[in-house]
Each structure stands twice: as structure tokens, then as C-alpha cells.
Amino acid sequence: MSAEAADRVAAVTSSRPSTPLQTSWFEFLLDGSLLEKHLQKSNPDPAAVQLIIQFLEQASKPSVNEQNQVQPPADNRRNRTLKLLALKVAAHMKWDLDALEKGLTIPVLNMLLNELLCVSKVPPGVKHVDLDLSTLPPTTAMAVVIYNRWAIRTIVLSSFPEKQNKPGPHQMNMLSIVQQEKEMTENILTVLKEQATDSISVLEGALQLKKDFYVHTLRTLDLLAADAAANGETESSTAGLRISADELHCQVHYDVGGIFFQQGCTDQSAYRKARDHFRQTKELLKKLDSTVHVHLDEKRLAGYWNACKALTEDCDSDSQTTAYDQINSLIRARSYQSVIEAFIKDNVSRSLPNNFRRSVLREFLYRVQQGESGLDEVCHKVCVCNAVRDALEGEVLSVRFQQLLLKPSKGMVDFILEVCTLSLEKERLSETTRRNMASFMKTLCESLEELPLLFVVSSHKLFMELLKEEERKVLVEQMRKRSATINLSAKPLPSFYDIPASASVNIGQLEQQLILLLEPRRIRQILIELHGMAERPFWRVNSKWEVPPDYINVILSIKDNLTKDLVYILMAKGLHCISIKDFGHARQLFSACLELVTEFSPKLRQVMLNEMLLLEVRAHETKAAEGSKERPPPDLVSRVRGYLEMRIHDVPLRQVVGEECVAFMLNWRENDYLTLQVPPSLVMNNPYIKLGQLLASTCKELPGPKESRRTAKELWDVVVQICSVSIQHKRNHDGRVGLIKHRESSMGILYRSKFITFIKKLREPLVLTTLISLFVRLHSIVRDDIVNEVTAEHLSIWPSSLPNIQAVDVEAVAVTVKELVSYALTLNPNNQSWLITQADIYFVTNQYSAALNLYLQAGAVCSDFFTKVVPPDVYTDQVLKRMIKCCSMMNCHTQVAVLCQFLREVDYMTAFKALQEQNSHDAMDSFYDYIWDVTILEYLTHIHHKRGETEKRQIAIKAIGQAELNTSNPEEVLQLAAQKRKKRFLQAMAKLYF
């Protein structure tokens, strides 16, 4: 390059403002101090939330081994550092969930908070509701609180309507990617909703703690990275950012109030709980001097508060009564005239928002629809009051008011003029208000077509005052010309959508009715009206209307737009009704849809028949879950079989239909059919049918372990595949990365939550016992803890080892075992085998009180509350030894000594060691009456004598002196004495722990 050319390039370069290069994610790995410097910039690039996405994306990339197999991300220093960097960014944002929720997708934020739980040393595999927050280190307790706050906030946010994106022709190829992102989010939401009750319990527990809380900062996370936690610094009471108890309680009350408010639509009592939480939020806000760590929308809080007071009929809870309270009190008292008077006064003061006034009108209209008489005129008058308010503020008049003017009575016109007069402050009448009201009077005159009513308006005092003489003359002349050319008696009443000025408002009102209605004929009528007004896809009106992705293409290929909208909306509404167990309306909607599609599409006809089958299956299973013992009608069983045998090509099939049909057949013990008659092609294409067939085969052959080993091995392989994991990444259409944890399963079941959802449709005890047995065996293998194994029935039929144990998600297996056993016990809390398994789960996770409670329950249910002998196959030596350890860990040492007698060979060493303990948390000498072993009683006498405990020694001597314990007695007498004491001791323990 010549010197001149170089000068020219330099001149051009120097004339442009230099853009700093974006810092790459790997630079933060190389320089430990760079992150803090970067985040302290006024406008860092990349921004904080983008850094979190980049760090987690890189930390979650799968690795490939020498055999070219995809492996889960390696647990190495690089990946751990990247995850820690993501947490440090969130710590810099002070764990502000508002900011994190705006910048991160649900899957990414889920991964971030799970990583927070991990580094905060939250015990893995233990439900948060089972943790005692008061005993956890401060940062650990706060991590649990943050996660559960996010869980309930996400549930609430997901219930808000969202504007649906309308993909153009160039975007249609993106639908599959969008659908994958949507499925991933829905799976997380499903799990969060299932655990919502637990999350609420955790947060309510946090509200009981009166101490300050501490959350991780960049400093405490650095200490973790340097392995400084060994000295206890990050677990001390002062490590991390201090959050005062009042600040945290304020935020938690607000979040918990939000989810209770959301639940109020199905449970009226939830509104009262929400009201109480919002009251606490308001009180704490007033009390706090600083709200640095409180992030809530005070306007929304005020809205929540007013809504709760209205819904719970609580207007005395505040010292001062607001205008909202007054209106709500009048509505409850049915003082409708007073409501109208209040609205007229409010036209002057304008203290009530327009949306609240409109909501009152909607409430009255709803009551009219419900059959309440005498409200039609009230609705008209409230509508007039609202119209005058709109006119005063220069707003567009509502369609409903313009409908009133199409055929008004003289009384209605007089009322309009009265409201106009009373709504003006003549002493302080502004020019804007005068002009707006004059415009309203003109509109009124132009809308009325009967001359007598026109003269009523034009001769009114207000008309004379507001309109200038010239305006009045022009308006009167226009009215005379109109009356001369129009034969009012012959003119047909115009339909409301012929009002050009309000067409868009009118469409909006029809769309609102379309959203609310469940009557098929009325839905069709409204769609016809809408298509007469605008040609656009009305199936997109409500983003909550969803049909299964399997049917989208078939429905959208319908050429007639009206039919397309009608089919989509009827199906979406029917599916929603099924989800809320409104099976009556669902049948009506599906029947109408079936009748419609039968006319033109055999494919859609079969789709609707399949959905109607699913409807009937769910309706019958719902009755069974509520306690009905009635077997399904033969016709329904026949239809289920017909579906499973169906071989119609080109008909889109939803996996869930096959899934529920399989669960239905398993629940009603149709094992022979599942194992022998289901077509092989269907077994290959639907993973749930394959799973059902393997379950049915294993259960059918279960009495003979040797014969059932082959099918049990197949079932085992399938479940191991479901529980094996790898991480994959998908970039969304907006460029953000979604992190997806996939199940490596040839069955096609990608998520553990889907598998759990299928399991929770099962009710047959033998099927559940088989699944519990399988997961207990798998749990034992992946934990590799021979001492602390969980027990269950039929363990011998499963393999005893795994070839690729590293690929199995250990935490997923642990959580699944817990969920499965907990679910089974909700169906039958008296199944002693399940109780023992649940007790073992608590035992191996060091929850000794809960474990002992369940061991005692298992003994109680099989002995009529210990009035009979507990069978030895229930209280085996292993169970008894675990009960002994539970008591020992809770410092109940006398109970340990008593239980040592229950073993086949009395464990004197453990008993003597326990009795040597002086710091016992049980009733000590009150348990001596339950000891029948003379050796133990003699040792007690000796130890109390040695300690100088005279009273306790006398109690022990009294116990040993009972005649029935004399060693010279026949064996039968000694056995009878032992059994009597066993029963009494176990009953006493049950009273303590139940």
C-alpha cells in the first residue's frame, strides 16, 4: 500500500467514532477480576442477563467420548467456574427476580436457580417442604426462599394473557422451533404447578422466621470458588448481603398473596388468604425505612388490595373507607339506586377510574345473564352515567350507549339530560368541559330520530346554555331536513355494527363475548357476525386458546375461514373445559364440532371421535379418583380397545390419547388385552403403549419371579433410558439460548415430568408396587450405599447392576422415587409395604422423625393399632434396627433400649450404651414398664445405683420384681408378658409420633 493510500485509510478510520469490541465470555475465565469491573460499567456490553445466558450455555455443552457418543457435560473446573460466574452476575443484580424474569427465559432461570441451590448446599433429593429453614445456614435458607418465590411468581405470570405472535409466511418454518421452546417451558410449568402447594408451605415457613436473612454476594461466591467454605465463613450468620426480616417478609407476603389471588377463581377461600398477605405487605411497606431489597409494583398491590376487599366483602379492614369500598358495599347491599347516584357524583369528582366503572356495568350485565330480575333499567342508567363521564373527558362513546340511542324512551332521554346537568360544576366550569358537553349534546341530537325526543333535548335549559345561538339554529335546521326526508316509522332499525364510528370497538366487544361463551350455537352466530365485519383469523383472539400441535396443520388447512375459526375455537374451548373438569360443556362443544367436521372431513371426524373418547375416559377416571367403584361401561372399554387397534392412515394421533387409554386399561386390570392383542405397529409408535404393555406383562407374570425376569428386564431398560440425560441447546428466534435437559430415550419420552404425569394417572396397586420396586432398585444401584438401602417388594426380579451408571441422572431417580411413593400413599395410606418404603426414603436422607413416624404407621395398619402382634415380615430386624437408629439420632435413648428387645437376638451392647447416656430426650424411667428383658433391667438397677439415682433405681427394681418376668416361669408366660409390653410400648410411641 502506498503512503498516500495509508494516509487516506487512517483519515477515514479516525473520522469514524470507534466502537468498543464486545467482551467475549471466555475472557472472564482468563481474568478473575474482569467480571466485577465489567458489571460496574454504566452500560456494559454484553449486559448482565446476556452474560448469564452465555455462561450457562457454555457450561452445559455436552461432550463427545471416543466412541462418538454424546455424554452429559463434564463436571470439570471450567464448567464449574462458568456456572459460578453466572451466579456472580445474578448476585451483582442482588437476586432481583423482576430483572431476571424480564431478561431470561423460564428454562434458563430454572437452571440458574437450581445451580444456586446446589452451591448453597441445599440437600439434594430432599423436598424443600421437608427442610427446616431455621436449622439451615443463612445463605442456604435464602436460596430455598428465592427458588420457591420464583416458582410461584412464574405460575402467576404464566396465567396472564399474552399477545400472540402472528407469524407471516416467511416465519412458518420457525413454528417447530417455537413449539419446542413452548414444550420445554410447559414441562417446567407443569412441575412448578404440581409443587405449588409445597412452595407456598416453604414460604409460609419463612414468614415464621424472625431473624435477618443473608444472600450470596460476589464475595461469598468467590469464597466458595476458593474452597473457603471449609472454615465456615459462608455459612456464618454474617456472610453475604443482609436482608432484614421485614424486607423479606414484605416481598414474600406480596408473592404468596399473588398466587392465592390466582387460585381464588377455583377456591373462594384463597381470596381471604390473599387479602391477609396483601394487608401484611402494606403494613410492612409503611414500617420499612428503606425498601432497597423489596421489588414490587405498588399500583398492582393497590389493585390486588381493592379486588380482595371487594371479593371477600371486607370493607372495615381499613381505618378509612375508599370510594371503591363504598361502591362495593352498595352492590352487595343491592342498593342499585345509590350506585347510580354515586356514579353521577363521581362524574364531578372523577375519583373512580373508568375501567372500574365499566367493570361494575359488566358485573350487572353478568347478573342479568344469570337471571336476576329488575336489573335491565339499572344497566341502562349505569351505561348512561359512564357515557356522560366519557363525554366529559373527550372519550369515544361506548357501543352499548349508542345502541341505547337507537330506540330510546322519553324517560331515558330525560335521565340522560338529568345526568348531564348534575355532572357539571357550573361555578367552576372549564372551557374544555363546556366544549365536550356541548359536543355530547350535538351527538345526542344527531342520534335521536323521533321528533318529540329531539324537541325534548333542543328545548332543554342545558342545550340552550352550552350551544351558541348559531350552533343551535344550524342543528335545528339539520333536524328538520332529516325529519322531512325520512319516514321514521318505515325505517328499519339499523344493526349495531352499522355504526361506522365504533366498528373497531364493536368488534372488540364481540371478541370478548366469543372468549366468554361456551354455547356452540351462539359461538357460531358471533363468528358469522365478526366475519361480516372483518376478514381476519379470529382463532387468534385469545392466546390461551390452544389445540394440540398434532392437529394444527389439519385445522389450518381448512379453506373456508369461518369454518376454520369455528373448528379451532370449539376444540380449544372443549379442551379447556376438560382441563377444569367441566365435562358437560366439553361434551356439548365436541359434539357440535363433530357434527360440523363430519360434513367435509373424514380425517377431522376421526380426530374428534378420538378426543371424545379421551373426554369419556377422563370423566370416568375422575369419578373413580373421587371414590366411585363403578366399572366402566362395556361400550367405553370397547371404544378404548378400538382406538388401540386403529390402523387408519393419515389421521393425526395424539400420544396423550394412547397414554390415557393405556392407563385406563391398566387401572381396570385389562392386562390380558394389553399383552396379547395390541397391534405391534402401535406399540412401536407410541411409547406409552409400549410402557403399558411391559407393565401389564410384568404384573401378569409377577407371582413367578423366574418367568417374569425377561419382561422385567425390558421394563427396566426402558426406565433406565428415561432417566438417562444429556444437555442440548436450541437457539430461539430472538437469539436467546434455551437449555434443555433431554432424556436419552428411544421410547420418545423426553422428560421425566411427562413420565411422572403418566404414572400419576395409574391407580392399580400392583402396577404401582411394580414401579416402586423398580425405582427403589435403580435408586439403590445409583446411590451405591449398601448400608442405607431402601426396601420394597419384588426387588429380586430386577437387575443388580448397570452397564452405564454415569449416564443416569441420580437426582432425577431420587426425586421420582419420592414422588411415586408419596403419590401411591395418597391413593392408599394404609399399604404397609409403601409405608415401609417411604420410611426408608426418609431414613436414608437423615429425616429420622419422619421415618420413625412411618415405621410406626406401617406396624399400626397391619395390627389394628397394635392390638395384635405386628407380623415379623413387617417389623424385620432391618426395620427394627432402623427404628433404633432413628431414636438414637433424636437422643431418645430409653426408647432405643426398649426397641433392642424386639430383635430376634437382643442387642445388649446397643441397649447398654444407650442407657449410659444421661442426656436423653425421652421420658426415661416412664418407659421402664415396657422392658421385659431381666438382663437390661438388672443393668438399669446397677447404673442408677452407681450414679446415686435412688428414685430411678427403685422404679427399675419395681419393674424387675413383677411376677410375670420371673425367669422360672414357663416360656409361654414369658412370651405373653413380652407381647403385652410390646403392644403397650408401640401404642405409647404412636401417641408420641402420630
Side-chain angles (χ1 to χ4, degrees), residues 666-689:
L666 285 170
N667 287 337
W668 295 104
R669 296 175 290 282
E670 296 283 343
N671 292 346
D672 288 340
Y673 175 78
L674 284 171
T675 54
L676 301 174
Q677 299 178 41
V678 178
S681 60
L682 202 59
V683 173
M684 295 301 295
N685 293 332
N686 192 316
Y688 295 106
I689 295 177

Side-chain angles (χ1 to χ4, degrees), residues 247-258:
E247 284 180 297
L248 185 76
H249 289 179
C250 182
Q251 187 70 65
V252 170
H253 277 301
Y254 178 74
D255 293 336
V256 175

Side-chain angles (χ1 to χ4, degrees), residues 532-546:
M533 299 163 65
E535 197 58 45
R536 65 173 188 241
F538 289 100
W539 59 270
R540 289 178 176 164
V541 164
N542 186 358
S543 65
K544 297 297 181 183
W545 284 341
E546 294 181 352

Side-chain angles (χ1 to χ4, degrees), residues 694-702 708 711-712 715 770 797-798:
L694 291 173
L695 276 167
S697 300
T698 304
C699 292
K700 186 179 174 184
E701 300 171 356
L702 204 54
S708 64
T711 52
L715 179 60
T770 303
I797 68 173
W798 311 112

